[in-house]
Structures are given as C-alpha cells and as structure tokens.
Amino acid sequence: MTTTRITDSSDNTTDVDVVIVGLGPTGATAANLLGQRGIRTAVIERDLTVFPRQRAIASDEDAHRVWQGLGLFDEMLTTMSTDVRIHLKHGNRTFLSMTSTDSFDQGVPGMAFYHQPELERVLREGIARFSTVSILSGVEAVALTQDSESATLTLRPVDGGPDRQITSKFVIAADGGSSSVRKMLGIALPGKHIQEQWFDIQLRAWYDLPVGAPLDFTFISDPERPGVDCPCPMGYHRVEFRVNKGETVEQLQTEDGLRGLLAERGIDYDKVEVFRSWGYTFHIRQAETWSRGRVFLAGDAAHIMPPFAGQGVSSGVRDAANLCWKIDAVLTAGADPDLLRSYEAERRPNVVALTRFSLGIGRMVMLRNNSAASVRDGLVAGAAKVPGVSPWLRGMGLKPRYTLGTKGGYFGGTERRRSPRGSFVKQPWVVGSDLTPILLDTILGNNWTWVGFPSSPIPPMLADAGVGEVKLHSASDLATHSVPSGHYVDSEGVLEKQMRKARANAFLVRPDRFIFASDREMTEEDYRRVTDVVVSGVRSVRCRLGDSA
C-alpha cells in the first residue's frame, strides 16, 4: 500500500494526521476512534495477519463502553461470554466466589471473556468502514524524527525492500511492551521483572459448553502449584501454571509434560486439542513519561501490568479513548496542543491503582506457605459472610473504579467534596419522544454534551459553541406518557441519583463520557475553555458511526 502526500490547510506537508504503530487491541481501537471522527490515519503493523495466540482473555465495562460507542460491541458479544463467575480455590475448597456482572451503571456487561483473535478480527473489520484510515502491513518503524510541526517515521518492509517514510502531525505508539518507538524516543521503562516463570497452555475441548452456561474463572490458590483455569468461549480453554523448581519449559512442552500438567486440573490430554504452549515471566513497569513531543505511548508501550486482574487490554482501550478525542480537538477544533498534556496526568493514576489491585490478587493467589494459605482461606471466607461486606466482596467491589486524575487533567471548577469531576457519567436506558428505550451514549455522539434536568438548561455560551444537550426528566416530571421531542426520561433515576449525590442538576460531559464539571462548579472561565476545544457539531454528526467521509 502506498501513501499519497497531502498538504493540509496550514501548509504543513504531511501524509496523514496521525500514525498509529501497532494493530493490537489498543492500536485497532484508536484507529476506529480516529476513523469515526474523520481523522486521516495510517496504521503501521509488522504482522500480516492477526496474531493467533490467545494472549488476553478478558475485558471490562470501561472497554465495553468504548467499543459500544464504536458500534462494534454487539458483534463482539456473539463470540464473548459475559456471564462470568470468579473463584479462588485451594485444594478442594473454594473460599471465595465473585460475580462480574456489575458494571457500576455503565450500561454494558461488567466483564467479558473472549478468544483474542476473534476480538481483533472485529476491531480490524471495523476499521474498514472508514476511508480516512489505511493499514500498512508487513512494515516496521525503524527510525523517528520530529520537529515542532510534524513527526516522520522511517518504515522498513519485514521481508526486504527499500525503506520509505511517512510524516504525520502526531504518532500513537501502541506497539507493545517492547515498543520500538519508545526505545527510539529514549524513554525508560522502569519497574520490576518477576523472576518466577509461568507456563500457559491454550487448548480447545472437543465439546461445547451448554448454551447459557456461565464461565467459571478459577484462581488455583495452592502453594504447591498456583495457577489459573479458565474455560473460554468457542470451546477454547486457557490453563496457567507456575513452573516449579526442577522443571523447565522445554520439559513441560513435551507430551508427557503436558499430560501431567493437564491431569493436575482433571483434564484428559486425549480429549482436548492443544493449540499452543509457552513459558513466560511477567513485568510490572511504567514508562517514565508517556509522551515526547508529538509522540504518545499507549497500552503496553506505556505500562505493563501483572496479569492477575486481566486489565491489560482494557487499560490500553482506556488510553486510546482518552487520547483520541483530544487529538481530534487539536486537529479539528484548533484546540491548544497543551490539551494533550492532560493525557498522562489523567490516565496514570488509574494504571497505578489497577497495578496495585492486580499485585494484591497475585500475592493472595501465590502464597507459598500452607499455614499462611489456610489462614488466608479462613479470613476471606469469613469476610464473605459478613453482612455489608459480602455483597461488596462477592460483587468485585475490590476492583478500583475508573476515575481520572484531576490534578493536571482537563476539568472545570475546583476540587470540592462530592465533585463528580473525572468520573464517568452513568449510562442508563432513557426514553425519548418515540417511547423506545435507548442507551444514553446513543444520543451523546462524539461531542461535548450538557446533560441536565429542567432546572439547569444548557448555558447559551455553550449552546452557541456547538455543545449538545440532553434535556433530561425524571419519571415524576411528566404527568403523562408524552415525552417532548428532544427530551428524555431517566425512568430508573440512575442519572438523578448521580446528580443528587453530586448536589447538581446537570453535568457537562466530555466526548469520552467523563464529567468535566457539574452546573454548580462551572465558571465563566470554564465556559471559555470549553468553547476552545469543542469540535463542530456539524462535523460530529457527519462523522458518526459508519460514515467514512
């Protein structure tokens, strides 16, 4: 695929507006987000086809809401399982079971398990909807230069051939933990390398799960051999084991080694098909900075998490969602590029919190002492029976909820008690004039939106700038079943409760569904700042889902 050189309106010669390096879940999500917004984008990918190994198996509500906004989640669901139970087991005793259905009112499943190649297939097919996005496969980035106007990557075909260059205004490096772009920038990736080796087996059973049956993800919390056991959709099964002293990956990959390991989990080697097996060690690392000049790191290129909480893919999707609307604002609305500095400030605190959470799970699973493990089992099982604690513990209340860092972030007002700034606006089903329930994000689009009750209509300055408005009512506001055109009823009171907690009657919602500020916090300066980054409502409508122009 060749690149056509284009001259933009500012007379800066660039091939595209954005280059994405890497076409894994993070890069593919970013490509869809930019394509949806009409941004000229090129994706650089070394491999010619989807990587066949099942590296990730899970995603959560934060990623699902992004994929929903891209119009891809319904197709993803056809090969996903969202009915997931999580167990911690020691010997024959399960000392804790949790459900993953709660999405904290985000309107999507709280967790899904999948076969990663299928997930990537849907994301790549989604990119094909947008004529502004091209994929350059079979090439790798080998050099990078940048100045105050653009960044230029040198690309080299992996199968031989002459180098070529591509120039863009911004680069998103989504090329994984060993990111070549990060290394070119000289950005360090400090952290820890865990020496303990683990061994994974990806297999497929010669039987299907009963229709509608939940998937049971089990942490094997046994000091003798900790691990993970996870049936996956489409008949796939993923089993993980710690490599014990005296064992080697090479020995475990023999037929005898595989038979023995699978037998430990009660799996008959002769009744499954082993696709792949591999050894690995895991890392806990975060880049010293997530950007340099016009280049931004995302996903594993910026942060590598321990595997125990299954947050790798979702964290990369969070990165892409946070970054892409800001790039859109700079390119399309002429926003100050300083807006992009808020990317790391907003995202890093969540990565830190999830890393700690994942490490906590790992420590609980990988206890090496049988006496300590017995004490753990009793304490956790006892806590799960305590009224008030049990629903929180069994409903995955341990996981940190996704909020953005507000220090250095792009938000209005000032920090105050009960401020909703940096939190997701919740996504209920709302009812419009046709009395058909729809999810809130369906009407939010990709632009800034004022979501408010009648007592707090959109300020004229925001309306004049192109900020959208969702005119909200509670079920008690309307005496009849007639809903005025352009108005919506929050029949279950989800948003009403969120606003009441914030002592507000309206939220100004950013394109990534996070609350900029409530009506009680907004100042005249905030109104001015927002008008400088709002993308034209006309363009936002033109580039809605499925429009490739």
Side-chain angles (χ1 to χ4, degrees):
M1 183 180 296
T2 59
T3 306
T4 302
R5 189 167 289 281
I6 301 169
T7 303
D8 67 15
S9 59
S10 62
D11 294 328
N12 295 323
T13 301
T14 57
D15 296 308
V16 290
D17 292 318
V18 180
V19 167
I20 300 169
V21 183
L23 193 53
T26 300
T29 298
N32 276 279
L33 287 165
L34 294 173
Q36 191 183 56
R37 289 161 166 81
I39 303 299
R40 301 172 307 159
T41 305
V43 188
I44 310 303
E45 172 54 43
R46 189 182 191 282
D47 296 328
L48 296 174
T49 59
V50 172
F51 191 71
R53 198 172 80 192
Q54 190 185 38
R55 293 167 291 181
I57 58 174
S59 52
D60 67 11
E61 66 274 7
D62 304 331
H64 300 163
R65 193 168 178 183
V66 174
W67 293 331
Q68 174 205 334
L70 291 171
L72 300 176
F73 192 50
D74 284 347
E75 184 177 354
M76 290 176 177
L77 283 172
T78 63
T79 58
M80 284 179 164
S81 177
T82 59
D83 186 2
V84 180
R85 298 179 299 198
I86 300 171
H87 311 285
L88 276 71
K89 185 176 181 180
H90 179 191
N92 294 322
R93 182 189 184 192
T94 299
F95 59 91
L96 178 64
S97 292
M98 299 176 283
T99 59
S100 62
T101 55
D102 189 1
S103 69
F104 309 112
D105 292 320
Q106 289 206 57
V108 287
M111 180 174 282
F113 281 13
Y114 49 77
H115 182 54
Q116 184 174 343
E118 278 297 302
L119 176 77
E120 294 194 29
R121 175 191 62 80
V122 175
L123 286 168
R124 293 190 183 196
E125 290 178 357
I127 296 171
R129 299 172 296 176
F130 307 112
S131 63
T132 56
V133 183
S134 59
I135 299 175
L136 286 71
S137 300
V139 295
E140 56 186 346
V142 295
L144 167 68
T145 60
Q146 59 177 318
D147 55 31
S148 61
E149 300 295 333
S150 63
T152 299
L153 282 165
T154 299
L155 307 180
R156 179 169 297 163
V158 295
D159 292 332
D163 291 353
R164 51 179 161 154
Q165 293 184 324
I166 185 169
T167 299
S168 63
K169 296 176 183 176
F170 298 105
V171 174
I172 299 175
D175 50 343
S178 58
S179 169
S180 61
V181 176
R182 186 189 63 239
K183 293 172 183 175
M184 293 176 206
L185 293 170
I187 296 176
L189 189 69
K192 295 189 295 184
H193 168 73
I194 308 301
Q195 296 295 329
E196 188 172 69
Q197 197 163 36
W198 282 63
F199 186 73
D200 274 24
I201 304 174
Q202 178 186 338
L203 55 87
R204 192 168 188 177
W206 292 352
Y207 54 85
D208 291 325
L209 289 170
V211 175
L215 291 184
D216 290 290
F217 181 98
T218 304
F219 286 107
I220 309 299
S221 308
D222 191 333
E224 302 301 321
R225 173 91 75 181
V228 174
D229 189 1
C230 180
C232 295
M234 303 174 64
Y236 288 95
H237 200 118
R238 174 87 166 261
V239 283
E240 303 181 21
F241 306 82
R242 186 186 68 200
V243 178
N244 287 334
K245 288 183 179 181
E247 296 176 334
T248 67
V249 170
E250 291 73 21
Q251 182 270 323
L252 294 176
Q253 284 182 312
T254 65
E255 180 177 331
D256 287 344
L258 292 170
R259 280 184 179 276
L261 284 178
L262 293 176
E264 290 183 17
R265 303 286 174 83
I267 300 172
D268 187 339
Y269 177 87
D270 294 319
K271 293 184 179 180
V272 298
E273 181 181 1
V274 176
F275 275 83
R276 286 172 182 81
S277 61
W278 63 95
Y280 73 96
T281 55
F282 60 87
H283 306 261
I284 307 163
R285 299 184 184 276
Q286 289 189 35
E288 61 180 1
T289 179
W290 292 14
S291 66
R292 184 154 291 166
R294 293 180 164 267
V295 185
F296 298 85
L297 309 180
D300 285 356
H303 42 75
I304 303 174
M305 294 187 181
F308 303 105
Q311 287 294 311
V313 165
S314 294
S315 290
V317 173
R318 295 182 190 104
D319 291 346
N322 186 282
L323 183 58
C324 287
W325 79 263
K326 295 173 181 177
I327 290 176
D328 183 23
V330 172
L331 293 174
T332 309
D336 190 324
D338 279 352
L339 171 66
L340 296 168
R341 293 183 180 179
S342 66
Y343 164 57
E344 180 180 345
E346 292 180 357
R347 283 288 302 124
R348 189 185 283 270
N350 176 252
V351 170
V352 170
L354 286 172
T355 299
R356 290 172 179 165
F357 171 61
S358 186
L359 278 172
I361 294 176
R363 292 189 185 103
M364 185 161 56
V365 170
M366 295 192 301
L367 287 176
R368 290 181 173 273
N369 183 281
N370 278 299
S371 297
S374 296
V375 171
R376 171 204 61 197
D377 300 352
L379 289 174
V380 173
K385 297 177 182 178
V386 176
V389 175
S390 178
W392 174 80
L393 191 58
R394 295 182 183 277
M396 289 291 287
L398 291 166
K399 177 189 160 190
R401 297 196 189 187
Y402 183 20
T403 57
L404 295 177
T406 54
K407 186 176 181 181
Y410 193 78
F411 300 101
T414 57
E415 198 74 64
R416 67 175 180 84
R417 187 171 177 267
R418 295 191 180 184
S419 173
R421 301 183 322 145
S423 299
F424 266 123
V425 65
K426 295 184 177 182
Q427 184 186 202
W429 290 89
V430 296
V431 177
S433 57
D434 63 357
L435 302 183
T436 301
I438 57 174
L439 284 165
L440 177 67
D441 286 3
T442 308
I443 55 178
L444 290 182
N446 287 326
N447 205 6
W448 288 74
T449 308
W450 184 267
V451 180
F453 286 100
S455 59
S456 189
I458 185 171
M461 186 175 182
L462 295 182
D464 292 344
V467 173
E469 182 180 16
V470 172
K471 300 174 182 178
L472 206 61
H473 298 269
S474 64
S476 60
D477 282 343
L478 301 176
T480 68
H481 292 293
S482 176
V483 181
S485 178
H487 294 238
Y488 297 88
V489 176
D490 176 21
S491 56
E492 295 183 351
V494 172
L495 289 171
E496 187 176 14
K497 291 175 184 176
Q498 188 179 18
M499 290 185 187
R500 187 184 303 124
K501 183 177 180 180
R503 298 176 180 173
N505 290 301
F507 294 145
L508 179 58
V509 181
R510 307 186 328 180
D512 59 354
R513 317 307 189 212
F514 280 89
I515 298 169
F516 176 78
S518 71
D519 57 339
R520 291 191 56 185
E521 298 170 297
M522 292 287 290
T523 66
E524 289 297 323
E525 174 63 17
D526 292 330
Y527 295 144
R528 186 196 64 75
R529 290 173 62 217
V530 170
T531 60
D532 289 340
V533 301
V534 173
V535 175
S536 165
V538 174
R539 194 228 53 124
S540 182
V541 171
R542 177 170 61 84
C543 291
R544 278 188 180 178
L545 175 65
D547 189 343
S548 60

